[in-house]
Amino acid sequence: MATVAGVAVEGGHWIGGERVSSPTTFDDVSPIDEKVIAEISRGGEREARAAVEAAGKAFPSWSRTSREERARLLHAIADGVEKRLDQLAIVETTDNGALLRSHLRGVMPRVAHNFRFFADWLLTLGHEDFETRGHRNHVSWDPAGVCALITPWNAPLMLATWKIAPALAAGNTVVLKPAEWTPLTASLLADITAQAGLPDGVFNVVQGYGAEAGAALVADPGVRRVSFTGSVPTARHISTAAAANLTPLSLELGGKSPLLVFADSDLDLAVDLAVEQYDNAGQVCLSAVRLLVEESVAEEFTARFVAKASALNQGDPRDLATDIGPQIHRRQFERIDGFVQRARAEGATALIGGGPNTDLGGLYYRPTLFTGVAAGSEIVNEEVFGPVLTLQTFRTEEQAVEMANSTRFGLAATLATGSEERAARVSERLVAGTVWVNCFFVRDLKAPFGGSRQSGVGREGGDWSFDFYCDLKNTVTAPWEK
C-alpha cells in the first residue's frame, strides 16, 4: 500500500476479486520530480495465467447475465468514478505528469462517460431481422470470452476504460495490463469495480512489464480478444504471439499526423489548432505534429504561432495555471532530445525550444518548432511523441495532400480551410482514421476510431466495439408449420 497525494493505492495485482502480491516489485516514479511514489508488484507468467484462469472461471456466469444487469453495474462503476474523481485526477497527475486541470475538467469525467455510454449502447444494440426465401435471419452478438487489454501511459485510465467498458458490456471478462510507468489508477479502478458489485474475476489487473506480464497474457490460449494501444514494434510482437492461437486483435498504434493550413482559413483558428498540438507535452498519438502551411500565408502564420506558443506556461502540472508539464520518463525524455539534436545536425532550425527547459530541470522539455526540415527526414517521418512540431510549406492543394500522405502512418489528420468544397475534396483523399475540419479532438463514442496503414488494425466505438468484442452470429430459421 502506498499513499500518493494523500490517496491510498494498492500496489498489488487484482485477480479473482483479491489483492495478490508478487515476490518482486518495481518502482513507480513520478515524472514531476523523478521520485519514487510507490512499489508495484512485478507480475509475469504466473500472475498472467492466474488472472486468465480467474477471468475464464467468471465468464460463463457473466456472459449469461442480462444486458440490463450488466448495464446497471457499468453505471454503478461510473458512479464510483465520479465519487472519487478528485482522487483519481490527482493520483494520475502525480503518476504520469499530465495536467491536473485536464484530468479534473475532461479526462476523468470522460472515464465515467465511457462506462455510461457503453452501458446505454448495449441496451440499443441490435439488427432488424430479415427474410431469405421465407426464412428468418436473426443477428446476435455473443460474448467472445476473456479479453486481454494492454494500455498506454499517456492517458492511462481514460484509454483503459475505452476498452474495458465495451468489453464488459459485451459480456466478456477482462484482464488489464496497464503501462508499467502509470499503474496507479488501474489499481484504484479495481477497488471501484469491487465496490460497485462487479462479480469476482470479471475484471482483473496484472501489473508488470510488457515483455513479462504482457507477453504472457497475449500468448495465453485462454484469451479470446487482445486490444492494444501503443507502439508499432510492440504491436508486431503481440501480433506474432496472438497468431499462434488465432486470437483476434485490435491495435491502435502511432501517428505522425498532419495539420493542413490553407490560405483561405481563419488564421487565428489555425494557429490555435497548431498550438493545441502541444497538449499533454506532445504525448498524444493523435497530435498533428506536421504543420503543412500554404506558402502565401506561411510567414504570417509562423509569426502568430511563435508568439502564442512562446506564451505557454510550462511547469508543475498540479498548478492549474500550467499549460505544459513534464515528459513521462527519463527514457522518453532522452529519446525526444535525440530526435531534436539529430534534426539540428541535419540543418533544421528551431524557431522556439530545441532543448530541455533548464530553468525547471528534470523532465521538462521546451515546446519546439522546426523549420527547414527536409522531406523524408527522420524528424518529418518518425513519431517523436513529445512537444516537437515541424513546419513545411506547400503551393497547391495537390502538393498538400501528397505531403500529408507521405508517411507510413494514417491515424488522424486536421485541416483548416474556409472552403467547404475544398474540405470535402481534401478529406476524401487523406489517409487517416479520423479527419478534423476546422476543429481538433472532437470525439464521439458512437464514431469508429482507429488507424490506417501502420497506425493500427481495426476500429472501435459504438457498434464497432461490440463487433470486435463479440462473436457475431446469424441464426436462420425455416418457416414454422401452423
Side-chain angles (χ1 to χ4, degrees):
M1 177 76 73
T3 300
V4 180
V7 181
V9 185
E10 289 276 2
H13 316 285
W14 179 252
I15 299 175
E18 297 180 348
R19 288 291 172 182
V20 177
S21 297
S22 295
T24 59
T25 63
F26 63 92
D27 291 338
D28 183 26
V29 176
S30 173
I32 297 173
D33 53 15
E34 296 188 271
K35 292 182 179 178
V36 175
I37 53 176
E39 286 191 4
I40 305 298
S41 284
R42 181 173 172 174
E45 186 174 353
R46 183 186 68 174
E47 291 81 1
R49 179 89 285 271
V52 172
E53 288 177 353
K57 183 178 179 181
F59 175 71
S61 176
W62 180 246
S63 65
R64 292 193 298 268
T65 300
S66 70
R67 289 187 177 192
E68 290 74 17
E69 178 62 8
R70 277 184 258 152
R72 185 191 69 79
L73 285 167
L74 263 63
H75 276 293
I77 295 170
D79 292 340
V81 169
E82 289 171 348
K83 287 176 183 176
R84 301 189 67 179
L85 191 145
D86 290 353
Q87 292 182 346
L88 291 166
I90 188 59
V91 168
E92 188 139 298
T93 290
T94 306
D95 204 16
N96 87 328
L99 300 184
L100 178 59
R101 75 174 188 223
S102 295
H103 282 137
L104 290 170
R105 299 172 188 174
V107 177
M108 294 307 162
R110 181 58 176 261
V111 168
H113 177 64
N114 284 344
F115 284 107
R116 297 201 191 282
F117 172 86
F118 285 106
D120 293 340
W121 196 265
L122 169 65
L123 299 181
T124 66
L125 186 67
H127 190 289
E128 288 187 5
D129 289 354
F130 56 96
E131 282 196 6
T132 304
R133 299 188 300 278
H135 295 64
R136 180 171 63 91
N137 292 264
H138 176 74
V139 177
S140 57
W141 283 258
D142 292 353
V146 177
C147 299
L149 311 179
I150 302 178
T151 53
W153 45 260
N154 57 324
L157 194 57
M158 192 269 284
L159 292 177
T161 55
W162 159 252
K163 302 175 187 294
I164 295 165
L168 293 179
N172 299 310
T173 52
V174 165
V175 180
L176 172 68
K177 209 296 285 183
E180 58 266 29
W181 289 349
T182 54
L184 300 183
T185 48
S187 181
L188 292 177
L189 180 63
D191 296 334
I192 290 170
T193 62
Q195 291 158 8
L198 198 68
D200 294 348
V202 173
F203 176 65
N204 306 271
V205 180
V206 175
Q207 317 279 14
Y209 295 109
E212 299 169 356
L217 270 179
V218 299
D220 196 302
V223 169
R224 291 314 312 143
R225 292 292 186 276
V226 173
S227 181
F228 168 73
T229 298
S231 71
V232 172
T234 301
R236 291 194 178 104
H237 290 299
I238 290 173
S239 299
T240 299
N245 300 311
L246 295 180
T247 307
L249 296 170
S250 178
L251 305 173
E252 195 261 279
L253 309 177
K256 194 70 176 178
S257 301
L259 166 56
L260 292 78
V261 179
F262 290 93
D264 61 3
S265 68
D266 177 338
L267 276 192
D268 286 333
L269 171 64
V271 169
D272 286 346
L273 291 173
V275 174
E276 191 177 351
Q277 308 311 312
Y278 289 129
D279 182 47
N280 201 18
Q283 299 169 140
V284 179
C285 56
L286 295 163
S287 289
V289 294
R290 292 185 294 133
L291 308 183
L292 309 179
V293 184
E294 193 162 352
E295 194 173 89
S296 61
V297 294
E299 184 175 352
E300 182 179 359
F301 172 90
T302 302
R304 293 192 196 184
F305 176 92
V306 167
K308 190 174 184 67
S310 297
L312 293 173
N313 179 30
Q314 188 168 32
D316 192 321
R318 296 168 294 192
D319 185 338
L320 298 184
T322 296
D323 299 312
I324 297 182
Q327 307 311 133
I328 181 68
H329 191 275
R330 176 61 56 180
R331 189 191 310 164
Q332 182 67 12
F333 180 89
E334 292 174 353
R335 181 177 183 274
I336 293 165
D337 193 51
F339 274 106
V340 169
Q341 300 314 319
R342 289 191 296 274
R344 283 180 177 278
E346 291 178 1
T349 300
L351 296 186
I352 58 171
N357 189 327
T358 55
D359 294 335
L360 297 174
L363 300 180
Y364 294 84
Y365 208 91
R366 292 189 183 278
T368 298
L369 175 67
F370 275 121
T371 59
V373 293
S377 62
E378 179 191 59
I379 198 66
V380 170
N381 279 356
E382 298 301 321
E383 185 177 38
V384 179
F385 218 63
V388 180
L389 310 185
T390 60
L391 191 152
Q392 298 166 279
T393 62
F394 62 86
R395 291 184 178 180
T396 67
E397 185 178 300
E398 182 73 24
Q399 185 184 15
V401 172
E402 182 180 347
M403 293 170 71
N405 291 339
S406 65
T407 75
R408 60 194 171 100
F409 297 106
L411 187 56
T414 304
L415 65 98
T417 178
S419 167
E420 189 173 350
E421 293 76 16
R422 171 179 282 123
R425 284 195 310 270
V426 173
S427 297
E428 184 178 7
R429 297 181 61 196
L430 292 174
V431 179
T434 301
V435 177
W436 285 288
V437 179
N438 295 329
C439 61
F440 177 66
F441 215 39
V442 178
R443 285 184 60 186
D444 193 310
L445 290 179
K446 294 190 293 289
F449 179 77
S452 303
R453 294 178 176 169
Q454 291 194 24
S455 284
V457 175
R459 296 291 184 270
E460 296 188 38
D463 280 352
W464 291 275
S465 285
F466 287 96
D467 288 349
F468 172 69
Y469 287 110
C470 292
D471 289 321
L472 268 72
K473 179 168 64 182
N474 185 40
T475 301
V476 184
T477 304
W480 293 99
E481 292 185 8
K482 297 185 179 179

